[in-house]
Amino acid sequence: LPLTVFRTYSKTTCTGIVKDATGETVIGASVLIKGTSNGTVTDIDGNFSLKGVKKGTILRISYVGFETKEVITMANLSKSL
C-alpha cells in the first residue's frame, strides 16, 4: 500500500504527516534520516517532527505491511509514495 507524506521544512526540522492510500493516518511509522540512527515514529495522528534535517536529506519511511519508501526533503512538499 502506498503512503502519503506531507512535510514542511524549517531550518533543520522536518515535520509531516504519514497517510495510507485511503487517506488514513499511519500510527507508528518509522521516519529515519538515511544512513544515520536519527529518526522518530509517527504519533496517533500520523504526525512526525525530526530535527537535524537539511533540504535535500533523504528520509526512509517504513511501516509493517508497507513497502519502505525514500523521500528527498524539500520545502512545503506534498508527495504520494
Side-chain angles (χ1 to χ4, degrees):
L1 296 173
L3 298 174
T4 301
V5 180
F6 298 94
R7 332 182 263 302
T8 57
Y9 169 81
S10 172
K11 296 186 181 179
T12 61
T13 300
C14 179
T15 60
I17 303 170
V18 178
K19 296 183 178 184
D20 67 14
T22 66
E24 294 294 318
T25 57
V26 179
I27 302 166
S30 296
V31 181
L32 182 72
I33 296 174
K34 185 176 180 176
T36 74
S37 60
N38 186 12
T40 190
V41 176
T42 57
D43 67 13
I44 194 163
D45 296 316
N47 297 307
F48 69 90
S49 179
L50 188 57
K51 293 182 180 181
V53 180
K54 297 179 182 177
K55 187 175 180 180
T57 297
I58 298 173
L59 298 181
R60 290 180 52 87
I61 302 166
S62 61
Y63 187 73
V64 175
F66 290 80
E67 182 180 337
T68 297
K69 299 292 183 174
E70 293 186 355
V71 179
I72 299 173
T73 59
M74 302 171 99
N76 300 318
L77 176 69
S78 173
K79 182 174 183 176
S80 288
L81 303 175

